[in-house]
Amino acid sequence: MDKNTLFSSFGKWISPICTKSFTDRIAATGQDKYVKKLTTIAYLKLFLHAQIQQRDALREIAVDALSKGFRKELGIDSISASQLCRKHNQVDPALLEHVFSELVIRIRRSTSPTCFRKDFKIIDSTTIGLCLQKYKWAEFRQTKAGIKLHFRLEYMDDETVVPEKVTITPAKKNDRTQMDALVDEVGVTYVYDRGYVDYAKFDDYCDRGIFFVTRTKKNAVIRPIDSFQLPAESTVLSDEMVYVGTPQKRMENVLRLIHSVDSEGNPVAILTNRFDLGAEEIGQVYRERWAIETFFKWLKQYIRIKKFYGTTERAVMNQVWTALIAFCLLVLVKLETQTKHSLLQIYRWLRTLLWEPEQTWIDQIDRQPIRTSAGRRKSK
């Protein structure tokens, strides 16, 4: 490997995946058995590079490999689009999922959210539409295909959320089918929308000591038992102890129903099994759920998962995991440098300085903003 390439900004960015554990896992799974040219590590580097540069097709990725420095980084002389296609369909998605999980562990070791945000996690999903003629395995509706990404996110600081756990399913799968995979930690508060409402699971969570904050469904049958007094200056409309469900099919555990407003000022009815927090705190916990919408927007706009390089289920899964790996690698740089710059700004600098010495990129990240924006001055 060329020493100048190794210490480029690109080499710095991908360094967390260039580990012995990754190569050992490749060997243990036999992923590169009989492979003479395009190894799994070279494949991942190529597709991470494509994510950052937002390449649209395999031919563009093959052209990237014509760069002398990049070829030395990859350990290959040349590559074709057809070879990339075959490798993209051969790599086991579980291998890339393992890389993602290891990066998440590294991120969690370095995070320091406040106690308010440390104790809860956000559950939500986003759907990526696909062409039914090309992606028949991902049938969604009569004329449309799609996949659904189910996320469990936690705060890495008071502003940024990171995907701690992800499951990928065809878009037809109901959100509730993934609750067992995403909601499993005792003592943690999970925040999610009403698409995940399941009264049987709510009873189970109450019995196991798992907390939740969610919205009620419009047709929910609610029977108030008692009401809690609210401070005079409270923006909460009501705070009650309630039974949920019909007399024939009712939850065994008592819940708390809070009528408040969301981040846009719209009325919202919140169900929770947390009785130790104030009504205002519960309302704030639910409003924090909207951080996931910012994450979804960022992921779709700047980490390419809209246009896929292959049509098979394996190719699609591999590209999604590569996109999530790319996101985690940016997060690790932000944590290591302890910069106040946004992930988007770090990403932009990386694209521009990709083959410059790593110190050039790090110096740019370490540089303090020349002036503070009017919005930030006002908030102070």
Side-chain angles (χ1 to χ4, degrees), residues 48 120 146 149 158 240 249 264:
L48 284 171
F120 73 89
L149 311 185
D158 286 347
E240 299 174 309
K249 193 175 181 180
E264 297 179 353

Side-chain angles (χ1 to χ4, degrees), residues 194-213:
R194 56 191 172 195
Y196 293 89
V197 169
D198 186 319
Y199 297 148
K201 290 190 182 298
F202 286 0
D203 263 328
D204 179 52
Y205 296 158
C206 292
D207 295 339
R208 291 164 56 193
I210 296 174
F211 302 108
F212 59 87
V213 175

Side-chain angles (χ1 to χ4, degrees), residues 29-229:
T29 56
Q31 184 67 64
D32 284 347
K33 194 174 183 180
Y34 307 122
V35 172
K36 295 181 179 179
K37 189 172 185 179
L38 186 57
T39 64
T40 302
I41 292 179
Y43 156 83
L44 184 53
K45 290 177 181 178
L46 267 166
F47 279 78
L48 284 171
H49 181 270
Q51 289 291 333
I52 283 295
Q53 297 292 32
Q54 296 197 357
R55 301 305 188 211
D56 287 326
L58 293 174
R59 293 185 184 278
E60 291 185 45
I61 301 174
V63 170
D64 288 333
L66 295 176
S67 165
K68 183 179 178 181
F70 199 16
R71 288 203 308 270
K72 290 185 176 180
E73 169 77 31
L74 300 170
I76 59 177
D77 295 327
S78 63
I79 200 71
S80 67
S82 59
Q83 289 171 317
L84 287 172
C85 182
R86 284 195 297 272
K87 189 68 176 180
H88 196 38
N89 287 289
Q90 289 170 356
V91 171
D92 184 0
L95 187 64
L96 300 186
E97 182 181 1
H98 179 75
V99 175
F100 165 76
S101 299
E102 287 198 331
L103 292 175
V104 168
I105 292 171
R106 292 186 61 166
I107 290 170
R108 295 183 72 187
R109 289 172 181 164
S110 306
T111 55
S112 55
T114 59
C115 290
F116 177 71
R117 290 175 174 83
K118 184 170 65 174
D119 294 335
F120 73 89
K121 299 180 181 182
I122 306 170
I123 306 289
D124 209 341
S125 66
T126 185
T127 300
I128 301 174
L130 300 170
C131 174
L132 183 57
Q133 291 182 334
K134 293 182 178 180
Y135 302 88
K136 293 182 180 180
W137 56 268
E139 184 180 355
F140 180 24
R141 295 185 180 132
Q142 193 170 7
T143 59
K144 188 177 181 180
I147 60 170
K148 188 177 286 188
L149 311 185
H150 307 262
F151 288 91
R152 181 171 79 196
L153 293 100
E154 63 178 14
Y155 278 88
M156 78 173 202
D157 55 34
D158 286 347
E159 297 178 354
T160 311
V161 292
V162 293
E164 180 209 0
K165 191 169 184 179
V166 184
T167 62
I168 308 171
T169 67
K172 207 170 184 178
K173 282 272 190 179
N174 191 287
D175 288 341
R176 293 195 301 273
T177 63
Q178 303 305 302
M179 290 184 73
D180 288 341
L182 299 174
V183 181
D184 57 7
E185 296 182 62
V186 174
V188 173
T189 300
Y190 293 93
V191 186
Y192 40 79
D193 207 355
R194 56 191 172 195
Y196 293 89
V197 169
D198 186 319
Y199 297 148
K201 290 190 182 298
F202 286 0
D203 263 328
D204 179 52
Y205 296 158
C206 292
D207 295 339
R208 291 164 56 193
I210 296 174
F211 302 108
F212 59 87
V213 175
T214 186
R215 280 202 298 169
T216 61
K217 288 188 174 182
K218 291 182 179 180
N219 61 351
V221 178
I222 306 292
R223 183 164 69 88
I225 304 172
D226 197 2
S227 60
F228 300 103
Q229 189 172 0

